[in-house]
Amino acid sequence: MARWGHIRAVATVGLAAFLLPLAPVRAEPGYIPLVRDYVEKRIRPIVETPLVLKAIAEQNAKFGNVSEMDLRVLDETYRSEVDQHHLQMVKLLLDKSISHYLKAEQDASQGVLIEFFVTDSHGLNVGQSTITADFWQGDEEKYLQTFANGSREIFIDRAERNESTQNLETQASFVVMDEENRPIGVAIITIAIDAL
């Protein structure tokens, strides 16, 4: 008799666990699948081109084993130039053929892409379509959630309304792989969700 009571209790607990999940299932925001699909179909093919891969590989070779202190100095120099409108580093970056390529792709996006840039393995900008706020992304979620933790997933940040344009915007990033399927950098885009 005790055995049947035990079986009945186990069956009841199992049925309850099946019918009443312990953790509530949270749906992802509606823009996430749209952004993920856009990145997979439109952005990844743009990034996986010889021009982009070669530019990232060259910068990885150039900066090799750069220290975090040097990364911070480079970033502070860049930010200072942007703040003071002395755009020497910015001009060098924007004059690169990879930056012209990313700018052309941004212009062809019909308002979807607000910003498009790629980094090297340290998170330093290699090419950019516009002037970015900083030069080193290695201490930010776009890098930490992708390259730094070895993720192959697309990281999509929380959407926010841009005060000046009133566009709903999000940033998406993913690890760039070379021809041998090794991680070499990160591609980052800012998307106007309303334009998708």
Side-chain angles (χ1 to χ4, degrees):
M1 185 74 170
R3 184 171 175 219
W4 282 110
H6 174 73
I7 291 171
R8 215 179 346 220
V10 169
T12 303
V13 168
L15 184 60
F18 177 74
L19 295 174
L20 304 168
L22 296 176
V25 178
R26 293 191 327 185
E28 62 186 12
Y31 67 88
I32 299 281
L34 292 172
V35 171
R36 189 179 296 121
D37 187 59
Y38 185 82
V39 168
E40 285 297 344
K41 290 181 178 166
R42 286 277 302 124
I43 303 305
R44 210 177 277 277
I46 291 169
V47 172
E48 294 172 348
T49 60
L51 172 69
V52 174
L53 299 181
K54 183 174 183 269
I56 295 173
E58 286 173 355
Q59 186 158 307
N60 280 338
K62 176 182 174 183
F63 284 107
N65 296 321
V66 66
S67 71
E68 186 170 325
M69 171 82 97
D70 289 336
L71 294 171
R72 292 188 183 283
V73 168
L74 285 167
D75 193 46
E76 286 170 20
T77 303
Y78 180 97
R79 287 175 186 237
S80 160
E81 286 186 10
V82 170
D83 289 344
Q84 298 170 13
H85 304 290
H86 297 288
L87 305 177
Q88 185 176 351
M89 282 180 75
V90 175
K91 186 169 177 357
L92 288 172
L93 268 167
L94 292 176
D95 284 346
K96 291 172 133 185
S97 56
I98 182 176
S99 294
H100 292 292
Y101 172 68
L102 297 175
K103 176 68 171 141
E105 292 296 337
Q106 176 183 331
D107 291 346
S109 76
Q110 300 175 333
V112 175
L113 294 178
I114 296 165
E115 183 179 53
F116 193 172
F117 58 109
V118 295
T119 77
D120 63 16
S121 60
H122 297 291
L124 294 172
N125 291 3
V126 174
Q128 56 197 53
S129 65
T130 59
I131 298 174
T132 58
D134 48 12
F135 180 56
W136 182 50
Q137 316 305 322
D139 59 347
E140 298 181 25
E141 290 296 297
K142 61 191 103 178
Y143 180 88
L144 298 173
Q145 294 293 328
T146 57
F147 197 94
N149 74 6
S151 173
R152 298 298 175 259
E153 299 295 316
I154 298 167
F155 172 68
I156 302 169
D157 215 341
R158 187 170 54 93
E160 294 181 355
R161 183 86 43 203
N162 182 313
E163 294 289 327
S164 59
T165 65
Q166 289 304 302
N167 282 331
L168 187 61
E169 298 176 0
T170 189
Q171 202 165 63
S173 55
F174 62 91
V175 172
V176 179
M177 311 295 284
D178 68 9
E179 293 89 348
E180 283 81 44
N181 208 30
R182 294 174 303 202
I184 58 169
V186 179
I188 302 152
I189 56 171
T190 302
I191 292 181
I193 296 169
D194 302 329
L196 279 175

